[in-house]
Amino acid sequence: MNPTSAPHVFISYSRRNLDFVQQLVHALKQKGKDPWFDQLKEPLSGIAAGAPWWKQIQTGIEEVDNFLFVISPDSISSPYCHAEINYAREHGKRLVPLLYCGDVGKSETYKAIDAAIEAIPDDEEMPDSVISTIRNLKNLARENWGKISDIQFVAFTMSTPFEQSIEELLQALDLDFAWVRLHSQLTQSAKLWEANNFDDDYLWGANRLKPVHDMIARRKPELDTLVQQFIEPEQERLLREIENPNTTHQRRRDIGDRLGVIGDTRLGVGVKDGIPDILWLPVNPGGEIKIENTTFKVQSFYIAKYQVTHVQFQAFVEAEDGFKKSDWWQGMPNGFPHHTLTTQFIKAVNNPRDSISWYQAVAFCRWLDTKLPTARFTSVEKLAVRLPTEWEWRWAAQAGYGQWRYPWGEWKEGYSNTSEAGLGRAIGVGMYPHGVAVCGALDMVGNLWEWCLNDNEKIQDISLDNGQYKTIQGGSFFSNELHAISSFRNSAKPIIGDSSFGFRIVLAPPIPGL
């Protein structure tokens, strides 16, 4: 065996078949295989308890991908062979059965095997020197023989040339070898993870798990529970972690960044076929809301679960009919659009798109409105993709008639990325699921201020070209809890794209002139 590389196959056999096995090992080595072969295999009895032999056997089985069992009437009654088979099965090794017939035919060999199993005394126990979950030798032999019998044998008989049987064995060993090796690695890594109290440091990252999931999708193998837990996508583990309200702000920042690197699989965060994938949430019923001295009527509408992300806005920038097309900028002041676009401050793809002006947010909505079919949302009235009005935004953020101060009710530390979090920057969208609004929208408090359609001074006015300050809502990473109150009104010039400004979109009745 080559000590510098992992062996290809572990050979389990009876010492009484040693001459054949030595011939087999020689042939395998000539074919480029590196078998784990214990030439000084202990005799069938007399092994002292605690002898190092069994530990070496365990290590040999753990290191290989294929477990080759040389089946004969001698090996089928060997407690040590059955201990090896049992250990290999427990460790998810691929069993390759080789039927050694010697001087007789296959049918005679099968009869001799059955007779050998029946000849095992009913009360014979496994030796103390080996580990086995089943201690009665006959019961273990019957169970192992039943499992092995379900696998196609490679038979070595007097009537078949040895070289021909070797070629058949090589084909069996090489069958989907990539999966065999991968499955073996998975099983051992999963057991190591379990042995270390399921410490996340022992889990595989997304890049290493991707080919695993691809291969499993093709093969559809049966996997035990531990392996299924071990190969859980990293994204799912991270998203489960942010569900815990005790997860720190810093950890939420890091999880968002990590998802941006390995691929954020959440619906509504990314792009599909070049079009932003928006997850729309219904906000209903409507009603009336009073802002300062004016009462506004709110009709039912849909709101995006997340603020528009960097990758979603970038789809608009890069589209041939997107950012540079003049249609989206009609009615706006001269000088727009593209030369004023500010670079994203935090460039993670799943971060909210920051540094966006009101005009650029409106242009994005105009473009996306031509891309998304809205007929499935209503059969009565056309809906338009646009920025929310302040009264729509407030209705969604404060739970309609509930008029909550924050989307979740009263202020709670750890529910949003405001200045209290101490992060000093925006983070991936949706990292505070416990801060969700009643309608299901996330980050309506903190992360980035969100543009609304209307003017701030004259609330009811909506105009593209009057240059008046526009309303922004919800606070940001830079502002404190008082600025995040749903009724707090702030404003900014529509031409400004500050690093704390972003936007969220709605699907609602169209507004003339937009």
Side-chain angles (χ1 to χ4, degrees):
M1 182 177 66
N2 182 358
T4 62
S5 62
H8 293 113
V9 57
F10 180 99
I11 300 179
S12 177
Y13 69 101
S14 166
R15 189 172 177 82
R16 295 193 179 107
N17 305 134
L18 179 59
D19 289 343
F20 166 74
V21 174
Q22 287 177 323
Q23 183 184 9
L24 178 69
V25 169
H26 177 72
L28 289 174
K29 287 184 175 180
Q30 284 188 322
K31 299 294 185 179
K33 298 301 179 186
D34 188 14
W36 201 104
F37 165 56
D38 180 14
Q39 186 170 350
L40 301 177
K41 190 176 178 73
E42 296 288 351
L44 298 181
S45 62
I47 303 175
W53 168 81
W54 176 244
K55 183 62 178 176
Q56 293 172 3
I57 291 296
Q58 289 176 304
T59 301
I61 294 173
E62 291 168 3
E63 288 179 346
V64 303
D65 302 305
N66 290 301
F67 179 90
L68 176 62
F69 178 43
V70 180
I71 311 168
S72 71
D74 297 313
S75 64
I76 203 66
S77 59
S78 165
Y80 303 103
C81 286
H82 283 294
E84 291 168 354
I85 295 169
N86 196 46
Y87 195 77
R89 287 174 51 203
E90 289 178 349
H91 284 72
K93 301 301 176 179
R94 178 174 179 248
L95 302 181
V96 181
L98 183 158
L99 184 66
Y100 173 56
C101 299
D103 297 333
V104 300
K106 285 194 290 187
S107 59
E108 289 86 351
T109 304
Y110 288 141
K111 291 178 182 179
I113 288 172
D114 290 335
I117 293 175
E118 291 305 314
I120 299 173
D122 291 341
D123 60 351
E124 183 171 348
E125 297 293 303
M126 295 292 290
D128 292 335
S129 57
V130 299
I131 296 174
S132 176
T133 53
I134 300 176
R135 299 306 302 174
N136 183 273
L137 176 57
K138 179 175 280 189
N139 291 341
L140 181 58
R142 285 171 171 167
E143 178 173 310
N144 283 338
W145 179 237
K147 293 293 184 182
I148 293 169
S149 298
D150 292 335
I151 306 171
Q152 184 175 354
F153 295 165
V154 177
F156 280 71
T157 67
M158 292 293 292
S159 60
T160 304
F162 182 81
E163 185 64 27
Q164 179 179 328
S165 297
I166 283 291
E167 290 300 323
E168 185 179 349
L169 177 60
L170 289 171
Q171 290 178 16
L173 292 174
D174 290 338
L175 179 64
D176 209 352
F177 187 73
W179 166 249
V180 172
R181 179 174 290 264
L182 181 58
H183 184 263
S184 178
Q185 292 173 345
L186 282 174
T187 302
Q188 295 309 306
S189 297
K191 288 185 177 294
L192 183 62
W193 174 55
E194 181 183 40
N196 286 275
N197 297 317
F198 303 101
D199 188 333
D200 284 356
D201 286 345
Y202 289 85
L203 292 170
W204 291 6
N207 291 339
R208 195 173 182 188
L209 283 176
K210 186 180 186 305
V212 175
H213 294 140
D214 291 345
M215 190 172 289
I216 288 174
R218 294 195 304 270
R219 292 183 51 87
K220 297 180 174 56
E222 292 186 9
L223 302 172
D224 63 38
T225 301
L226 180 63
V227 171
Q228 290 181 44
Q229 294 171 342
F230 181 78
I231 65 173
E232 179 185 27
E234 184 180 359
Q235 290 91 335
E236 293 183 18
R237 298 199 304 265
L238 295 175
L239 292 174
R240 189 171 60 250
E241 188 175 347
I242 66 172
E243 293 287 343
N244 183 354
N246 294 323
T247 300
T248 66
H249 294 291
Q250 291 75 18
R251 179 58 181 158
R252 294 179 191 280
R253 174 200 60 204
D254 294 344
I255 289 174
D257 289 349
R258 178 61 179 163
L259 289 171
V261 171
I262 65 177
D264 197 326
T265 56
R266 292 174 294 169
L267 295 177
V269 173
V271 173
K272 184 176 181 180
D273 299 328
I275 306 299
D277 175 31
I278 307 299
L279 182 54
W280 298 108
L281 305 170
V283 181
N284 58 60
E288 291 185 347
I289 183 173
K290 191 172 184 179
I291 303 176
E292 294 188 342
N293 296 319
T294 305
T295 299
F296 296 89
K297 184 176 181 180
V298 179
Q299 300 183 48
S300 297
F301 63 98
Y302 295 85
I303 193 167
K305 183 173 183 176
Y306 305 105
Q307 296 172 332
V308 172
T309 62
H310 175 39
V311 70
Q312 289 175 336
F313 193 85
Q314 197 63 23
F316 170 51
V317 173
E318 296 176 359
E320 291 185 6
D321 64 344
F323 193 84
K324 294 182 180 180
K325 188 175 181 179
S326 61
D327 293 17
W328 319 128
W329 309 92
Q330 295 297 319
M332 298 183 188
N334 294 332
F336 277 85
H338 47 278
H339 71 273
T340 59
L341 182 61
T342 304
T343 302
Q344 173 91 356
F345 182 63
I346 301 296
K347 295 182 175 60
V349 294
N350 60 341
N351 258 49
R353 207 328 176 163
D354 60 46
S355 308
I356 291 298
S357 72
W358 183 86
Y359 292 119
Q360 291 160 351
V362 170
F364 173 89
C365 292
R366 287 175 162 183
W367 170 75
L368 188 59
D369 188 55
T370 67
K371 302 295 181 181
L372 296 181
T374 60
R376 65 187 176 92
F377 292 95
T378 178
S379 58
V380 179
E381 183 179 14
K382 174 179 169 53
L383 300 178
V385 177
R386 57 173 173 80
L387 293 177
T389 60
E390 183 179 349
W391 44 98
E392 287 169 335
W393 189 97
R394 289 264 299 267
W395 192 262
Q398 67 181 31
Y401 292 112
Q403 297 185 4
W404 292 358
R405 286 167 61 84
Y406 299 96
W408 57 84
E410 292 303 311
W411 173 256
K412 290 184 180 180
E413 168 56 26
Y415 274 49
S416 61
N417 180 24
T418 54
S419 62
E420 287 79 6
L423 298 180
R425 49 158 284 198
I427 65 176
V429 297
M431 291 295 105
Y432 295 87
H434 44 297
V436 64
V438 171
C439 65
L442 295 176
D443 300 326
M444 295 204 75
V445 165
N447 231 14
L448 297 181
W449 288 101
E450 299 183 12
W451 285 110
C452 293
L453 269 180
N454 54 288
D455 293 353
N456 186 260
E457 184 175 353
K458 295 183 178 180
I459 304 174
Q460 68 277 11
D461 286 357
I462 297 174
S463 174
L464 287 172
D465 60 0
N466 64 11
Q468 294 297 307
Y469 279 60
K470 308 299 181 182
T471 295
I472 53 176
Q473 296 280 159
S476 73
F477 66 87
F478 191 69
S479 54
N480 63 29
E481 64 176 275
L482 297 179
H483 296 149
I485 296 173
S486 61
S487 60
F488 182 84
R489 305 188 66 241
N490 199 0
S491 64
K493 291 182 178 181
I495 197 172
I496 292 177
D498 188 85
S499 62
S500 65
F501 292 0
F503 68 106
R504 184 189 307 267
I505 58 178
V506 297
L507 193 59
I511 295 177
L514 289 181

